[in-house]
Amino acid sequence: MTARRKAAAAAVLGVAPLVLTALATAPAAAHGSMTDPVSRVSACFAEGPESPDSAACKAAVAANGTQAFYDWNEVNIGDAAGRHKEIIPDGRLCSAGRDKYKGLDLARADWPSSPMSAGSHTFRYRATAPHRGGFELYITKEGYDPAKPLKWSDLEARPFAKVSDPVLRNGEYVFEGTVPGRSGRHLIYSIWQRTDSPEAFYTCSDVVFGGGSAGTGGSGDSGGGTQPAPAASAPTGEQIEDGAGESTVGHGGHGGDSPEETGDGTENGGGNGTKSGAADAATPSPGTEEGVAGNEPAPRGSAVPATGTANLAKTGGGSGTTMIAVGGAAALALGSVLLFTLARRRTR
């Protein structure tokens, strides 16, 4: 091998590890959770994982630690593919069957809650990494008892709101739904199933009907009784930014955990500290709902940030996505140079 070829091969071998290091450390965002009505995990994150205010959030932290709430936007199953009822057992709907989030399944009537009334409601879902897909919202039946573990049979069989690719405004999916009449304390369960991946996300939002304050528990003849419960608050942008450094959520494989966590403390696809992302980007387009009002387009000059500056990837991405794409292309190019050099050596 000539001195020039040796130098070229050494350069390739020396730069490739640096490219791979950049890929491994590139930043990535997380996914999302319901903020109106406020989900349990969002409410506890907003209260502060280290010192929550409400008794329910304190109990949830005691059950599964603080990390679940720093990872508030990752209550997911990476390979759900619409099989929600098959793979999430009764009593574990709020955690999506994941031990990491088991505190969200605690059966109690004092979870922080949001006021709710029958009729049209504007739902909001904070999307820290938007994905193409659809939302389905279910509500508990009359007679729901919050003091008992939530079962699939506690929910109405059909969603009261269903929407595909809703509009994204200021980092939130926004869509309308018509809420059925209820009284007292109930729960709204959301399923966000991606259409560009089998991954799905789940939330439980505690709500109170009847014109009273959100701090009133119990549902008529539910047997749950009337217990004080604080009003739920969604995390602010500042709280989300401040808590990002404690989050372990990544995009590895565009997925999260199956219902069974791995035995070595890591998780499948996401939540294991891996910071990786997707290279393909596209802005979700407005969709229409089935059985509810269609979505209005985002106002000009607001709503949807430009692709490449915000997390607007079909498969999840963000500002780190470009770095990953460029780094990946560079690694492939360098590898090709090395192979070409070695091949020429063999032919001479």
Side-chain angles (χ1 to χ4, degrees):
M1 181 183 287
T2 66
R4 181 178 295 179
R5 288 176 185 164
K6 289 180 179 178
V12 171
L13 294 174
V15 174
L18 298 178
V19 174
L20 294 176
T21 299
L23 288 172
T25 58
H31 308 281
S33 191
M34 187 73 75
T35 52
D36 185 357
V38 184
S39 66
R40 288 180 180 179
V41 70
S42 295
C44 292
F45 172 68
E47 288 186 17
E50 304 298 335
S51 56
D53 300 320
S54 65
C57 288
K58 288 178 181 178
V61 169
N64 54 217
T66 60
Q67 193 60 56
F69 299 104
Y70 285 117
D71 296 345
W72 61 280
N73 42 14
E74 188 232 10
V75 185
N76 66 344
I77 297 177
D79 60 352
R83 301 173 299 126
H84 318 296
K85 292 184 180 180
E86 297 175 37
I87 59 181
I88 301 177
D90 281 341
R92 304 190 66 187
L93 275 66
C94 297
S95 67
R98 295 179 55 183
D99 287 341
K100 176 178 179 178
Y101 295 100
K102 62 185 179 182
L104 300 176
D105 291 320
L106 294 177
R108 20 189 331 136
D110 60 349
W111 280 101
S113 54
S114 303
M116 184 58 64
S117 58
S120 180
H121 184 85
T122 300
F123 293 89
R124 299 179 184 276
Y125 197 104
R126 171 71 69 173
T128 51
H131 305 295
R132 289 195 180 279
F135 290 86
E136 291 185 352
L137 271 56
Y138 297 81
I139 193 168
T140 46
K141 300 174 182 177
E142 288 286 15
Y144 161 66
D145 186 351
K148 294 180 180 179
L150 181 67
K151 303 188 300 293
W152 286 106
S153 60
D154 292 325
L155 302 174
E156 294 288 355
R158 296 176 61 85
F160 67 86
K162 188 173 181 179
V163 59
S164 296
D165 293 328
V167 294
L168 185 71
R169 294 179 183 154
N170 301 318
E172 293 181 318
Y173 283 121
V174 182
F175 55 95
E176 300 296 316
T178 302
V179 183
R182 292 290 188 272
S183 62
R185 175 172 283 267
H186 279 272
L187 184 144
I188 290 177
Y189 190 70
S190 79
I191 299 174
W192 179 19
Q193 176 63 65
R194 294 173 59 176
T195 53
D196 57 2
S197 160
E199 183 180 31
F201 295 82
Y202 308 86
T203 68
C204 281
S205 297
D206 297 274
V207 297
V208 176
F209 290 80
S213 69
T216 302
S219 171
D221 56 356
S222 69
T226 300
Q227 301 181 30
S233 296
T236 64
E238 183 178 2
Q239 287 176 315
I240 292 172
E241 183 177 354
D242 289 344
E246 300 296 330
S247 176
T248 64
V249 176
H251 275 316
H254 312 304
D257 307 54
S258 63
E260 297 78 28
E261 311 293 337
T262 56
D264 59 0
T266 62
E267 299 165 358
N268 302 321
N272 59 357
T274 303
K275 303 296 182 182
S276 60
D280 54 336
T283 303
S285 58
T288 56
E289 300 180 28
E290 298 178 18
V292 295
N295 297 295
E296 58 181 298
R300 180 175 298 180
S302 61
V304 184
T307 301
T309 60
N311 299 318
L312 292 175
K314 285 199 298 184
T315 53
S319 58
T321 296
T322 301
M323 179 188 296
I324 292 167
V326 172
L332 289 173
L334 289 170
S336 298
V337 171
L338 178 58
L339 290 174
F340 179 72
T341 301
L342 294 177
R344 289 193 62 188
R345 179 189 175 192
R346 291 192 189 98
T347 60
R348 292 193 175 186

